[in-house]
Amino acid sequence: ILIQTHPDVLIVPPDPPQLLIKMGQVRQVIHVAYYRPPVEAKRTFTIFTSSAFMREAANSLLKVLEEPPEHTSLIVLTENPQELLPTIRSRCVIHRLGALPVAELEALLATRRRLLKPQDRALAARLAEGAVGRALTIDLDVYLASRQDALVILRTALREPDYTQLFHATESYRAGADGQEKSINLLRALGSLIEDLLLMVAGTPRLIRNIDLEAELGRLAQGLTVDWIEGASRALVQVESGMRRNLLRSLSLDAMAVGLERL
């Protein structure tokens, strides 16, 4: 997958189903860098939207990163620079973008997304994690639907388990592009809830993102330990890794929920 939003801008997202940047994409990037001069702008830009590279693709990128043409800029976006190979990090100049305060995002949403209710603006501003683009484009209906399934997983692990409800929630996460996107949204929502549980355990509930669930998160956090939350985070990473290898999604989610119960 390659996205051309402008004659001189090439966007490279992770390629499904593994959601990794692959060799064919990097070959095209190298071709554009060396053989396509700027058309309208003074420079050409290639933007990798993820740091999840297949190893051979990452290695193939090293040469153009080390000696890019004078008219070319390569940008790699990442939430965690440690995901990148050391050989790639050593060839890059790191620019860290700070998060905007929640109050500024709420004010922006009040002018740019006026149809949102005040409580929805507050939730969207916190879920955006300081990113303007995320705040302006977040689909709260999709997030809330994913979060509801994520809550089923947590309730199964932390309360009296209701496997009927769990299996009913996870059986819809099947193969195909739609199922993949739905699974990604679920894992992001679950990660957000786990982080909020950590903040509740740490005694800083004012920092949680899912502010409309503060009471329930408080109940779920009772008796939790940091070790359990760390184990839940590791389980989440394992599910994400398994989905990149095309493991059955519904079965992976069921196994994670049962595994969390035993932590």
Side-chain angles (χ1 to χ4, degrees):
I1 296 177
L2 298 166
I3 302 171
Q4 192 88 40
T5 60
H6 180 277
D8 299 317
V9 177
L10 182 65
I11 298 176
V12 186
D15 200 54
Q18 297 91 349
L19 292 180
L20 297 170
I21 293 174
K22 300 177 182 176
M23 189 66 195
Q25 293 171 293
V26 171
R27 287 197 185 103
Q28 184 64 21
V29 167
I30 293 172
H31 176 80
V32 169
Y34 286 112
Y35 300 109
R36 289 190 188 175
V39 176
E40 295 183 1
K42 295 181 179 180
R43 303 184 61 79
T44 62
F45 292 86
T46 295
I47 303 173
F48 295 93
T49 65
S50 170
S51 57
F53 286 82
M54 294 186 71
R55 182 168 290 273
E56 59 268 29
N59 289 331
S60 298
L61 192 64
L62 296 178
K63 181 65 175 178
V64 70
L65 282 177
E66 186 170 1
E67 299 178 357
E70 292 184 357
H71 58 74
T72 296
S73 294
L74 300 169
I75 301 173
V76 182
L77 304 180
T78 180
E79 295 181 1
N80 180 12
Q82 300 306 313
E83 290 180 344
L84 293 166
L85 290 177
T87 47
I88 287 184
R89 292 202 306 272
S90 66
R91 289 166 169 79
C92 296
V93 177
I94 297 178
H95 295 277
R96 300 186 185 277
L97 303 180
L100 289 182
V102 170
E104 290 187 24
L105 289 178
E106 284 195 57
L108 178 66
L109 289 172
T111 59
R112 299 282 294 275
R113 297 186 66 177
R114 297 179 181 177
L115 295 180
L116 286 179
K117 298 177 182 178
Q119 61 268 28
D120 290 338
R121 287 200 300 268
L123 178 60
R126 283 158 178 79
L127 293 174
E129 300 180 80
V132 171
R134 192 178 300 170
L136 294 176
T137 59
I138 188 171
D139 188 328
L140 282 180
D141 290 335
V142 171
Y143 173 77
L144 292 175
S146 298
R147 191 181 69 177
Q148 187 59 39
D149 289 343
L151 281 170
V152 170
I153 293 175
L154 286 178
R155 290 167 184 155
T156 299
L158 297 174
R159 295 180 179 175
E160 187 68 28
D162 183 351
Y163 295 111
T164 300
Q165 188 178 11
L166 172 67
F167 297 153
H168 179 73
T170 59
E171 68 179 355
S172 62
Y173 292 84
R174 299 295 185 182
D178 291 341
Q180 182 181 52
E181 182 177 359
K182 188 176 180 182
S183 299
I184 293 171
N185 291 334
L186 170 64
L187 295 177
R188 287 175 178 169
L190 184 56
S192 173
L193 293 173
I194 290 174
E195 289 180 13
D196 282 351
L197 287 175
L198 176 61
L199 292 170
M200 298 296 289
V201 171
T204 54
R206 67 185 183 281
L207 299 178
I208 66 172
R209 283 179 281 176
N210 295 278
I211 53 175
D212 56 325
L213 292 179
E214 182 175 354
E216 179 163 8
L217 289 170
R219 291 191 294 270
L220 290 173
Q222 291 179 3
L224 277 188
T225 64
V226 174
D227 288 339
W228 187 94
I229 295 174
E230 181 182 3
S233 299
R234 287 198 302 268
L236 190 62
V237 171
Q238 290 173 354
V239 172
E240 291 175 338
S241 176
M243 288 183 180
R244 288 176 179 171
R245 301 194 304 273
N246 288 330
L247 296 183
L248 187 62
R249 293 169 188 151
S250 58
L251 184 60
S252 298
L253 294 170
D254 292 340
M256 178 178 64
V258 175
L260 292 179
E261 182 184 352
R262 297 172 180 171
L263 289 178

